[in-house]
Amino acid sequence: MRNKKGSASVFLVFILTAMVALTAVFIYAAKRAAVISYGDGILNLACRSALSEFNLELKDRYGLFAFEKTGEEVEAQIKEDLDYALQDRQEAHASRINVSFGQFSLADPENMKQQILDYMKFAIAEELLNRGKREESGEKKEDRTLRNRRIIDSLPSKPLRESSPGFAERIAEIKDQFKNMDQIFDQSKDTYLLDRYITLKFKNALNDQVDQATFFENEVEYILQGEYSNKKNQAEVRRGLVLFRSSFNAAYLYLDEEKRAQTLAAAELMTPGPPAVLTQAILIGTWALAEAENDARLLEKGKPVMLLKNKASWATDLDSVLKNLDQGCIDTGSKKGLSYEDYLMIFLHFESEPLKIARMMDLMQINMKGTFSKDFLLKNYHCGFRLKAELGGGERGYDARY
């Protein structure tokens, strides 16, 4: 009996010892998990703290979040934050901290695009797009030209410059691709958000009500044409606008029976017989171009111009065109149509996205050099970073971004 009781006691001691040991293991594992979790949370907070030191002018001016620091500077800041937060909990301290920027450069077109889209979605949600509509200033604009070779060579669009055709040369391509007006102004499309951002944040030939100083006055025209001269950008975009309007005007002249008959009658008087058909085509082209020039003048005065004309909105007459009379700007009083900024939106829609974003970045960099720092370069700014740290005996990785 005594042997049985002794055996039971020994057995219970073994069981109790095993349970205590198992409990100790669970306690140690729980403590380790808690330490890692705590250290992980502190590391995340340290990363957010590093991101809080963004360039305030870049944010206020363009709605972009980015900071300028080296990897060593970010590492030192994170270590300092960890030392302060974990001074009483050294077991939760991370070691071997490494920061890299890799794919987080603000000069990366994809990162720039994403930041712009995030800003525009916020602006639409907060109804910021309709506040403070910009008006035509009426001031004479300076014919400024960028000549500083060091600045030109550092522009993000420089590698694309040689392969980019001029704006007026692309008008025929734009006309061929133009199918649906609704798609161009669809707020759910990324292309619309990018284009609307351009008209919101950059000046154009009619609207220059941007709060901060800029190098170019015709900034949207620069994005379309890419010349380093204010005057050239405006002249080339205007030429392209006239060509674009001319194609729609010619289409209307062919569709309108009365005007088509006028041109045919004039052609038969000038070149009777079969050649009259070719002469009529020349007359229609000339008349459409004269009307397009008047359209450009109306747009420059802030008046709307319909994409496809009707009798009420047609301004010029064939006799004046044949006599080469300049009647100035003829205003039919039509209130329907597209504004100059609407036409810019159409042209931006068909601009190559990489080129469009690169030229946007050109303007940001040039303007920030003038108002913030002469050494400002977008490639030195980051919208996030990759952090690797050893925590609890294992390596952990963190992607921190705005």
Side-chain angles (χ1 to χ4, degrees), residues 148-246:
N148 188 308
R149 181 51 54 184
R150 184 176 64 86
I151 294 177
I152 290 173
D153 289 340
S154 71
L155 294 177
S157 73
K158 185 65 164 56
L160 304 175
R161 183 171 177 81
E162 296 301 323
S163 60
S164 304
F167 172 68
E169 283 68 44
R170 291 187 289 107
I171 286 298
E173 179 184 343
I174 292 173
K175 179 64 174 64
D176 291 340
Q177 293 178 355
F178 187 89
K179 296 289 188 296
N180 188 344
M181 177 77 76
D182 293 337
Q183 187 175 6
I184 296 174
F185 293 95
D186 184 349
Q187 291 191 10
S188 67
K189 304 293 185 183
D190 287 353
T191 303
Y192 169 84
L193 296 177
L194 284 174
D195 298 342
R196 187 69 182 91
Y197 177 87
I198 290 172
T199 61
L200 185 69
K201 293 295 183 180
F202 299 101
K203 298 177 180 178
N204 63 57
L206 262 63
N207 293 322
D208 60 4
Q209 302 305 305
V210 173
D211 293 338
Q212 297 87 353
T214 62
F215 183 85
F216 290 120
E217 296 292 333
N218 304 318
E219 294 186 300
V220 181
E221 288 79 4
Y222 170 81
I223 293 172
L224 290 170
Q225 173 63 25
E227 294 288 342
Y228 299 136
S229 162
N230 248 342
K231 190 174 182 179
K232 285 183 180 179
N233 286 322
Q234 183 177 6
E236 284 302 299
V237 171
R238 190 186 192 281
R239 184 164 75 92
L241 173 62
V242 169
L243 291 173
F244 184 74
R245 284 293 323 140
S246 179

Side-chain angles (χ1 to χ4, degrees), residues 23 25 59 96 123 147 161 189 198 210-211 219 238 249 293-294 315 317 328 333 364 373 392:
T23 302
V25 170
K59 177 259 180 188
R96 294 175 58 189
R147 295 188 175 88
R161 183 171 177 81
K189 304 293 185 183
I198 290 172
V210 173
D211 293 338
E219 294 186 300
R238 190 186 192 281
N249 291 341
E293 173 60 32
N294 190 73
D317 62 89
M364 293 173 183
S373 169

Side-chain angles (χ1 to χ4, degrees), residues 72-112:
E72 291 77 12
E73 288 173 332
V74 177
E75 289 170 10
Q77 180 182 343
I78 290 176
K79 287 177 181 177
E80 183 180 346
D81 291 343
L82 290 177
D83 289 341
Y84 178 79
L86 301 174
Q87 53 188 335
D88 297 327
R89 297 195 178 190
Q90 289 303 312
E91 70 276 11
H93 209 290
S95 58
R96 294 175 58 189
I97 293 174
N98 176 262
V99 169
S100 60
F101 297 115
Q103 74 274 27
F104 294 102
S105 171
L106 188 61
D108 184 322
E110 284 303 314
N111 289 333
M112 178 63 71

